[in-house]
Amino acid sequence: MKNSVRWWGALGERWLLVSAVALVIITVAIIVFIAQRGLATFLVHNVSPVEFFFSGLWRPDRTAAEGGPRLGVASFIVGSLLVTSLAVLVAAPLSVLTAFFIVEIAPGAGRPLIQPAVEILAGIPSVVYGWVGLSLLVPFLRSRFGGTGFSVLAGALVLSVMITPTIVSVAWEAIRGFPREGKEAALALGSTRWQTLRWVVFPAVLPGLITAVILGMARAFGEALAVQMVIGNIHTLPRSLLDQTITLTSGITLDMGYTIMDTPWNSALWTMALVLLLMSLAFILISRAVTRRGV
């Protein structure tokens, strides 16, 4: 009996080791493949990195007689950063306050209602968010502010709702992990509930809250379909929140089906994918650094 248990235990350990190694190999292979395709824009097609990253002229279908393709992705990058930043500015305070309410303030009858509602938001498909934004938000912005309604503001508002469950869930776990003894000690010294949350709990869980916001930002930066449906997808640099623009993810999904492998246009899309991958890795590394150092 003991030998059988040891055999199954050893088999389980080896299976876990194989799974972990396979996951690492798959991750490295994906990074290498995307990097190889993405760097071809500069190494094979001789596109200037300065032109690629800082030019807003996107004309990948130009022929040699017209001067060749122009592959400037500044509008894509600015659109992604602008929409993501605005979405986080809207969602972060709302999400953190909601997490504090669920953990520290919500009565026993309220928490079972609020937390499942947040989890339901996380399970709604992206296309549903995009469709709701297209059907309700875009007409509302059009009637209130003029223009077409497709705008940076519409994309940011849709994204802010989408990333709220992510931030709430991570922040909720961070706040719940604060030891009960610390709150009881503060209350015993005469602090009110607000003073305890503001000056004791909040500073202690701040690294976890920052991690939650960073993960929400990574979620927003990689979103494609919902934003694509409400942002307008115009290759221009936005001058206001009501202007139309385009993001990296929208550009990739819109153009990839019209390109031929190993052409400058196709390689440029792979480079945009590489930028997205590097940004995601940067978000992950920042969140890990914040968690380890405790800000």
Side-chain angles (χ1 to χ4, degrees), residues 4-256:
S4 177
V5 172
R6 292 176 181 176
W7 185 86
W8 282 107
L11 179 61
E13 292 178 359
R14 290 185 176 87
W15 178 249
L16 293 175
L17 177 61
V18 170
S19 300
V21 173
L23 183 61
V24 172
I25 293 175
I26 292 173
T27 303
V28 173
I30 292 175
I31 295 174
V32 171
F33 177 78
I34 296 178
Q36 180 183 10
R37 292 288 183 179
L39 294 177
T41 301
F42 313 116
L43 302 180
V44 177
H45 303 292
N46 298 319
V47 176
S48 170
V50 175
E51 176 187 355
F52 185 83
F53 289 108
F54 297 101
S55 173
L57 181 58
W58 178 256
R59 290 292 304 278
D61 54 345
R62 283 176 46 164
T63 63
E66 296 174 325
R70 290 293 180 265
L71 304 173
V73 299
S75 59
F76 296 90
I77 296 176
V78 171
S80 295
L81 293 176
L82 184 58
V83 172
T84 300
S85 301
L86 290 175
V88 171
L89 286 177
V90 173
L94 177 64
S95 302
V96 171
L97 292 176
T98 300
F100 267 101
F101 182 81
I102 293 174
V103 177
E104 299 291 346
I105 301 176
R111 187 179 304 175
L113 296 177
I114 300 174
Q115 187 176 346
V118 174
E119 295 173 352
I120 290 174
L121 286 178
I124 297 177
S126 299
V127 66
V128 176
Y129 283 108
W131 183 252
V132 172
L134 182 62
S135 303
L136 300 179
L137 181 60
V138 170
F140 174 79
L141 295 177
R142 184 189 302 123
S143 63
R144 291 289 182 176
F145 303 103
T148 63
F150 296 95
S151 59
V152 173
L153 181 59
L157 292 177
V158 170
L159 269 185
S160 65
V161 177
M162 294 183 64
I163 66 176
T164 293
T166 301
I167 302 177
V168 170
S169 299
V170 180
W172 178 75
E173 291 292 343
I175 298 169
R176 193 178 65 167
F178 185 80
R180 181 180 178 181
E181 292 78 5
K183 291 180 287 186
E184 292 177 347
L187 294 173
L189 292 174
S191 299
T192 63
R193 173 184 286 187
W194 165 251
Q195 291 172 332
T196 300
L197 296 180
R198 173 63 183 86
W199 301 109
V200 179
V201 179
F202 181 79
V205 302
L206 184 58
L209 301 181
I210 295 177
T211 299
V213 173
I214 292 174
L215 293 178
M217 187 178 298
R219 170 77 171 87
F221 199 80
E223 177 55 40
L225 184 57
V227 178
Q228 177 183 324
M229 296 174 69
V230 300
I231 202 172
N233 303 307
I234 302 297
H235 301 91
T236 57
L237 293 172
R239 298 181 179 179
S240 72
L241 298 182
L242 300 178
D243 286 347
Q244 302 180 55
T245 187
I246 193 169
T247 62
L248 288 168
T249 50
S250 299
I252 294 172
T253 56
L254 288 172
D255 290 3
M256 186 61 77

